[in-house]
Amino acid sequence: MRYLPLSKNAHDEMLEEVGASRIRDLYKDVPSSALLDDIVDMPHHKGEIEVERELSAMAAKNRSAGDGPFFLGAGVYYHHVPASVDYIIQRSEFLTAYTPYQPEIAQGTLQAVFEFQSFIAQLTGQDIANASLYDGSTACVEAALMAMRITKRRKVSIGTPLHPEYRKVLDSYMGNLGDVEIVDGEPDEETACVIVQSPDFLGNPHAYDLWRKRCDETGALLVVVITEIVSLGLLPAPSEADIVCGEAQSIGIPMSYGGPHLGFFACREKFLRQMPGRLCGMTEDADGRRGFVLTLSTREQHIRRDKATSNICTNQGLCALAFTVHMSLLGETGVRQLARLNHEKACALADALEKIKGVEIENKNFFNEFVVSLPKPANQIVDELVTLDIIGGLALDGNRLLVCATEMTRDEDIERLVTALRKVL
Amino acid sequence: MSAELKQFEEGFQQEMREGNRGLHYEESLLWEKEYSERSGVDLPQSSGIAVRTGLPERGDIGLPQVSEPQALRHFVRMSTWNYSIDHGFFPLGSCTMKHNPRLNEKAARFAGFSHIHPMQPVSTVQGALELMYELQNWLGTLTGLPGVCLTPSAGAHGELAGLMTIRRAHEVQGNTARKVVLIPDSAHGTNPATAVMCGFTVRNIPTGPDGRLTVEAFKEALYKGDENGADIAGMMVTNPNTCGLFERHIVEIADLLHKAGGYFYCDGANFNALVGRVRPADFGVDVMHINLHKTFSTPHGGGGPGSGPICCTEELAAYMPVPTVVKKGDDYIFETKEDRETSLGTLKAFQGQFGMFVRALSYIMSHGADGLAQVSGDAVLSANYIMAKLSEDYHVPFEGPCMHECLLTDKKQKSFNVTTLDIAKALIEYGYHPMTVYFPLVLSGTMLIEPTETESKDAVDRFIETMRQIAQDAQNKGEAYFHALPQSSPRKRLDEVKAARNPVLKWKAS
Ligand SMILES: Cc1ncc(COP(=O)(O)O)c(C=O)c1O
């Protein structure tokens, strides 16, 4: 096996040194009832050619987004990832490093995390951001938990249509605690936070001023959830919020069937000590030279144990790096241009769909996705579109279909969708 | 030093933000670079139509801007300050820093894996479900625990999934009074943090004098709140434990726990010692997580992403999170909450860190059942070899054999005022990533060394030599020498107190 360098000779020498006659002797603390006599009944090792062949055969059974028209969004987006991003994240120095526990030999990772935190804080209009969380759905839970710690209240309001997967995750986590109420609507005097997704699950962008006012009146925190972070290049920053969190997969990270993606978490400085997850801070070394370290870890599990703000340890480090590289390539003008391009593609899609008889666009406003109502059940249409090699969007309830366009959407994709819909409706 | 060189040095220090010397690079933050008119991407021009967002267009964000070559250079230069497994030996205990095969990276990037959407009709992603099914099957077989849920995002998330499974089982069975989770004091911090997140309270079990759990201490903890242990939800035990030792009495302990009505959660961070040789089900485990980013070599990526699937008994499988992949005829489908109403629900949007599943399966297929048994065996042999070779120079607190990692302390070096931290920084000076330090917390000055199976004997021998040299230096060179280490790394010791006292967490224009 090419990954295992210990030779027969090495085995013999090492066994002699430890005073064992065979490796099995080293397992003497394992009760014999738990020590297998033989290797498990599964296939034996395979060479690189064979493994590559088998895995690419599995991959070939999947319809990938680049194979044809693709209009699915709903919290995971098909965007372009520049080649440089993937090159940087595959560099050994980043890919095969551990969490930067020894800062003297991890400044590359640490400076990148510092830049990531800076990018997130700027995009969200918040004071501070952490080094990442697992994904948007768990980030949303962490925001609610943090709001409950701060306000000492046990009620969470959902202000705008929240991604149904996020809602399910929120329900499961809160179910643990037994006494947390999750309700739809406006906050009141018992509410820890109101969660406002924007653009919401149905694609509608929201202003925050009225939510801010309600929160100030009731003492609830305003949590803004973003699932399409590219939107922040066009929509106003949610700077009124107390916490902004969500999913940053759209910048630098492929869809990869749902993960690994990139949870982000930003908030106001006054909540710093209640934040979940790792933080990277600037400092100096013994010679007074600037450097970076993981900091404020007295919030975290390895110091605080059962009193930690969260149990998270390993986060999404390399995905945060991909985001940071992509952001640095985009720059100020690139981010804004990318956002605009997404919006314009979605406008073109809306204009084209609206011309089909019986099809209506439900949204007055949108960023890069919106709901269309069809004259037939949407799930049936999605299946029929698959037979025409079109991934048509997400079927919602009844006749409603959630569709999305990004910079990857071509005019001919839209034409094919329109033609196909005319055929199947 | 000549006057010119001294002058150069001083100038170099001042210029440090962009200068370099030899192959020692300095690199400024992106925001400190001159704003470039050129962005690093060429996107199609926008048509400039009026927006339909219903909101004003965002103004200046204040982001930096550089061209593509500048951006690339920025990150390549920064990368040179990192130590990684591809650079050298990385004996970070409990973290399993093993070789990360590039084949796995290649496979994860096949378009059919990387450009598929989690809400695509399952008929269009049968290959992805097949892959998940295969991985479930392998993990179930290797652990002897047939219920497998791949969704958790990392070890800590797997712990949560596992404990919630236990919580749900008790709830469905009407045992709502079971609120206590027993956790050894050697446990990783995520264990107690997870138990609390799950609504449980934590009761500690003290580690015995041989670094392992004793039946007596366990019984005392088990019956402390109720003579029958009726308040116990379960226990969270890492096995092999964080001292690198297999819990000798685990079968007896698991029996007692089961008799009291509790479930056994195993933190599987150390599965690398067992894979292919010991199935945790056979020593009484009900549910455990596996860190794919440890045992199955999906890269750590400087802090993730990881992946922490859980495996559980058939009994508990009814309660574990959804979704899981099942096979129906020739088709793969997801089992959801509608199919399995007793499930605790969903712990993460979508199916999990799928890209990590591809890498892990690629690793598993490459090794096969035979190779995996060699993985654990070689890892255990190597750790025992290091322990034997270092037992004169360093204090070995607990008798072995150890499993895939060995525990030392700084007891001998402390008499020269040289501590574990100093030893770690000396290792950096000698070109190594240090071992895990000050963990576990059961003794002072612990050093946990995990070589993994992917190191040659030569590499291990050189590390041992270095450790011996450091032990000698501790006697001969004194504390001042050590406190100034490392000298040759891109940065010397960093001021962590300053970082915490005056937090600067993002770039600010000065
Ligand atoms: C013993 C142990 N348990 C749990 C964890 C947490 O795993 P993760 O970092 O994947 O969340 C670790 C990781 O360092 C560990 O060593």
Side-chain angles (χ1 to χ4, degrees):
Chain A
M1 215 289 129
R2 67 187 182 283
Y3 304 145
L4 304 173
L6 291 188
S7 62
K8 170 87 179 64
N9 255 348
H11 269 179
D12 292 344
E13 285 170 32
M14 291 165 94
L15 280 168
E16 194 183 325
E17 185 68 37
V18 304
S21 58
R22 49 184 194 152
I23 284 177
R24 204 177 161 86
D25 296 349
L26 300 172
Y27 285 79
K28 72 172 196 208
D29 281 345
V30 180
S32 56
S33 59
L35 195 55
L36 294 173
D37 291 323
D38 216 338
I39 56 173
V40 295
D41 186 19
M42 290 296 269
H44 284 210
H45 70 274
K46 289 176 182 157
E48 182 156 349
I49 298 171
E50 227 178 324
V51 173
E52 191 177 325
R53 239 178 229 155
E54 285 187 33
L55 290 171
S56 64
M58 285 186 210
K61 292 179 197 162
N62 302 325
R63 199 298 202 163
S64 87
D67 291 347
F70 190 89
F71 298 95
L72 192 50
V76 180
Y77 299 92
Y78 179 45
H79 288 291
H80 184 251
V81 179
S84 310
V85 173
D86 204 37
Y87 165 70
I88 291 291
I89 67 165
Q90 283 197 77
R91 278 186 72 93
S92 295
E93 298 89 337
F94 288 125
L95 182 75
T96 77
Y98 201 76
T99 300
Y101 291 143
Q102 298 289 341
E104 297 87 349
I105 47 173
Q107 286 297 306
T109 295
L110 284 160
Q111 181 164 329
V113 173
F114 186 83
E115 294 188 338
F116 171 74
Q117 292 174 177
S118 305
F119 274 134
I120 292 291
Q122 279 191 310
L123 276 175
T124 57
Q126 291 291 308
D127 297 332
I128 46 176
N130 76 6
S132 77
L133 295 172
Y134 300 137
D135 73 340
S137 68
T138 54
C140 176
V141 170
E142 292 280 13
L145 289 171
M146 180 167 130
M148 283 160 41
R149 284 196 297 276
I150 291 169
T151 59
K152 306 203 163 52
R153 298 178 182 179
R154 309 296 276 179
K155 190 160 132 185
V156 174
S157 301
I158 311 292
T160 59
L162 180 65
H163 196 297
E165 290 275 314
Y166 288 37
R167 176 63 197 258
K168 280 194 237 165
V169 176
L170 196 61
D171 284 341
S172 311
Y173 268 78
M174 293 306 169
N176 282 330
L177 304 175
D179 61 345
V180 182
E181 203 188 335
I182 306 176
V183 295
D184 288 321
E186 307 249 326
D188 60 29
E189 272 65 31
E190 278 155 21
T191 310
C193 65
V194 59
I195 297 176
V196 174
Q197 182 180 329
S198 178
D200 64 29
F201 180 63
L202 305 174
N204 304 293
H206 293 273
Y208 306 108
D209 45 351
L210 286 180
W211 290 109
R212 178 72 262 164
K213 193 157 162 280
R214 293 276 186 288
C215 285
D216 289 340
E217 286 160 8
T218 57
L221 299 192
L222 176 55
V223 173
V224 169
V225 169
I226 310 269
T227 62
E228 172 49 299
I229 199 161
V230 169
S231 67
L232 291 178
L234 185 67
L235 303 178
S239 36
E240 297 97 326
D242 296 295
I243 301 171
V244 182
C245 64
E247 180 56 65
Q249 170 266 328
S250 283
I251 296 185
I253 301 153
M255 298 186 290
S256 194
Y257 204 46
H261 291 171
L262 175 59
F264 71 89
F265 194 100
C267 68
R268 300 186 176 227
E269 188 145 22
K270 64 179 175 191
F271 301 135
L272 174 60
R273 278 162 213 280
Q274 289 296 337
M275 274 179 107
R278 294 197 168 112
L279 287 166
C280 168
M282 190 189 281
T283 187
E284 286 177 351
D285 79 350
D287 288 343
R289 300 206 279 176
R290 180 169 76 189
F292 303 91
V293 292
L294 293 179
T295 191
L296 296 164
S297 51
T298 48
R299 301 163 297 113
E300 289 183 73
Q301 45 75 26
H302 59 282
I303 309 282
R304 260 306 181 73
R305 300 178 76 85
D306 53 340
K307 309 229 164 32
T309 54
S310 166
N311 69 338
I312 192 168
C313 181
T314 292
N315 57 28
Q316 301 291 108
L318 202 69
C319 299
L321 176 67
F323 176 93
T324 306
V325 179
H326 195 180
M327 277 298 291
S328 65
L329 287 164
L330 287 165
E332 174 79 18
T333 58
V335 166
R336 296 152 69 93
Q337 202 181 346
L338 178 65
R340 217 171 200 288
L341 206 54
N342 271 260
H343 183 57
E344 289 177 3
K345 292 281 186 188
C347 290
L349 178 63
D351 291 345
L353 292 177
E354 214 160 25
K355 294 202 186 93
I356 305 172
K357 206 166 139 249
V359 173
E360 268 171 49
I361 313 292
E362 285 190 9
N363 301 50
K364 199 163 142 247
N365 302 118
F366 54 85
F367 171 63
N368 68 354
E369 60 188 324
F370 50 85
V371 178
V372 286
S373 80
L374 306 167
K376 274 191 185 172
N379 52 7
Q380 192 186 319
I381 298 301
V382 166
D383 288 343
E384 287 190 51
L385 288 173
V386 166
T387 65
L388 300 167
D389 200 22
I390 295 171
I391 303 293
L394 183 72
L396 306 174
D397 51 323
N399 294 359
R400 302 165 81 214
L401 181 71
L402 183 64
V403 294
C404 172
T406 70
E407 77 282 4
M408 301 301 278
T409 311
R410 295 164 298 188
D411 293 345
E412 56 265 40
D413 297 334
I414 297 178
E415 280 162 29
R416 271 186 61 188
L417 177 65
V418 169
T419 311
L421 280 175
R422 287 214 160 100
K423 199 164 137 197
V424 300
L425 286 177
Chain B
M1 194 186 282
S2 72
E4 293 96 282
L5 189 56
K6 193 154 191 288
Q7 209 178 6
F8 176 79
E9 280 269 320
E10 277 161 12
F12 172 69
Q13 302 264 334
Q14 277 164 21
E15 289 289 311
M16 60 122 186
R17 291 207 172 151
E18 279 300 282
N20 68 55
R21 186 168 48 169
L23 289 176
H24 282 263
Y25 299 108
E26 294 294 336
E27 179 62 21
S28 57
L29 291 164
L30 284 162
W31 289 260
E32 292 161 348
K33 296 179 186 301
E34 194 187 352
Y35 183 90
S36 152
E37 219 170 274
R38 296 265 168 281
S39 150
V41 292
D42 289 322
L43 290 167
Q45 276 306 312
S46 74
S47 60
I49 55 166
V51 298
R52 297 182 214 170
T53 60
L55 295 168
E57 264 186 72
R58 184 166 186 173
D60 245 1
I61 305 171
L63 299 170
Q65 184 149 302
V66 292
S67 63
E68 182 178 299
Q70 291 172 297
L72 204 73
R73 191 174 280 170
H74 175 69
F75 291 101
V76 169
R77 287 166 74 101
M78 275 158 56
S79 76
T80 64
W81 303 332
N82 267 9
Y83 189 93
S84 75
I85 183 70
D86 285 350
H87 277 98
F89 193 54
F90 207 128
L92 195 64
S94 205
C95 299
T96 314
M97 292 299 283
K98 59 169 73 175
H99 172 58
N100 298 141
R102 285 309 202 276
L103 168 62
N104 309 351
E105 293 303 310
K106 183 176 181 181
R109 285 170 172 80
F110 291 150
F113 290 143
S114 64
H115 297 310
I116 52 174
H117 189 290
M119 292 167 117
Q120 254 172 264
V122 290
S123 65
T124 66
V125 283
Q126 282 293 298
L129 273 77
E130 179 186 349
L131 184 136
M132 292 172 71
Y133 186 81
E134 288 289 317
L135 183 60
Q136 287 175 190
N137 210 1
W138 269 104
L139 298 181
T141 306
L142 291 169
T143 56
L145 297 162
V148 182
C149 171
L150 299 175
T151 13
S153 306
H157 206 211
E159 291 170 29
L160 188 72
L163 277 207
M164 282 173 68
T165 302
I166 291 173
R167 190 183 179 281
R168 180 79 179 139
H170 285 311
E171 187 180 85
V172 172
Q173 295 159 13
N175 298 323
T176 42
R178 294 186 176 272
K179 287 279 181 226
V180 177
V181 174
L182 302 171
I183 302 182
D185 55 3
S186 60
H188 193 261
T190 49
N191 292 190
T194 301
V196 167
M197 225 170 161
C198 202
F200 292 122
T201 55
V202 175
R203 188 179 300 157
N204 268 312
I205 320 169
T207 296
D210 64 350
R212 298 159 174 94
L213 289 175
T214 66
V215 176
E216 296 70 47
F218 177 73
K219 278 187 179 163
E220 203 179 311
L222 182 66
Y223 305 127
K224 192 174 168 187
D226 177 280
E227 57 181 1
N228 298 315
D231 56 343
I232 303 295
M235 70 174 180
M236 280 182 107
V237 170
T238 311
N239 195 25
N241 69 22
T242 62
C243 303
L245 303 168
F246 192 90
E247 295 290 359
R248 269 177 203 147
H249 308 295
I250 198 65
V251 172
E252 199 178 342
I253 286 172
D255 279 348
L256 287 166
L257 175 77
H258 287 148
K259 287 207 182 84
Y263 291 103
F264 179 1
Y265 183 84
C266 178
D267 178 331
N270 293 338
F271 192 54
N272 207 49
L274 308 182
V275 62
R277 290 174 181 268
V278 179
R279 291 179 308 194
D282 296 336
F283 59 79
V285 171
D286 296 299
V287 49
M288 72 183 290
H289 81 260
I290 289 174
N291 306 65
L292 296 185
H293 48 299
K294 295 183 178 180
T295 310
F296 298 111
S297 182
T298 71
H300 282 272
S307 180
I310 58 164
C311 304
C312 62
T313 56
E314 225 156 81
E315 184 209 341
L316 286 184
Y319 311 110
M320 69 179 182
V322 286
T324 44
V325 179
V326 292
K327 202 170 177 184
K328 215 172 167 187
D330 287 337
D331 294 335
Y332 297 95
I333 55 168
F334 282 115
E335 193 178 64
T336 63
K337 178 99 174 143
E338 284 78 55
D339 311 309
R340 183 150 50 80
E341 271 176 34
T342 46
S343 163
L344 64 91
T346 311
L347 279 189
K348 182 194 174 304
F350 318 117
Q351 292 75 258
Q353 310 255 45
F354 178 80
M356 301 296 127
F357 306 160
V358 181
R359 291 168 175 90
L361 188 64
S362 170
Y363 173 92
I364 289 172
M365 287 165 70
S366 300
H367 284 81
D370 52 335
L372 290 172
Q374 198 188 335
V375 161
S376 50
D378 285 7
V380 168
L381 176 60
S382 213
N384 276 283
Y385 178 71
I386 292 174
M387 185 158 91
K389 287 275 207 180
L390 290 180
S391 60
E392 273 176 31
D393 296 283
Y394 292 89
H395 170 59
V396 177
F398 305 124
E399 195 198 330
C402 66
M403 291 276 96
H404 66 309
E405 54 195 358
C406 68
L407 190 71
L408 309 176
T409 82
D410 60 1
K411 195 170 171 186
K412 289 187 177 169
Q413 287 68 38
K414 257 204 194 132
S415 51
F416 311 106
N417 280 333
V418 173
T419 64
T420 286
L421 185 69
D422 298 324
I423 295 166
K425 300 306 179 191
L427 274 172
I428 293 177
E429 184 60 22
Y430 290 129
Y432 285 96
H433 194 286
M435 64 291 271
T436 290
V437 293
Y438 301 104
F439 175 79
L441 306 171
V442 288
L443 296 170
S444 81
T446 46
M447 295 180 266
L448 190 61
I449 301 175
E450 180 179 6
T452 85
E453 71 285 356
T454 60
E455 294 300 330
S456 67
K457 178 167 177 294
D458 181 47
V460 172
D461 280 333
R462 278 184 282 127
F463 172 74
I464 289 166
E465 275 315 304
T466 307
M467 284 294 285
R468 286 179 166 169
Q469 180 67 48
I470 291 170
Q472 290 249 311
D473 289 349
Q475 285 190 37
N476 303 330
K477 294 197 173 166
E479 54 184 302
Y481 166 79
F482 276 92
H483 291 177
L485 295 180
Q487 285 286 326
S488 309
S489 46
R491 286 290 178 273
K492 295 188 181 169
R493 287 197 200 191
L494 288 132
D495 189 346
E496 307 204 2
V497 174
K498 179 183 156 97
R501 195 166 285 159
N502 174 26
V504 180
L505 306 173
K506 67 169 185 186
W507 176 82
K508 278 186 203 121
S510 49

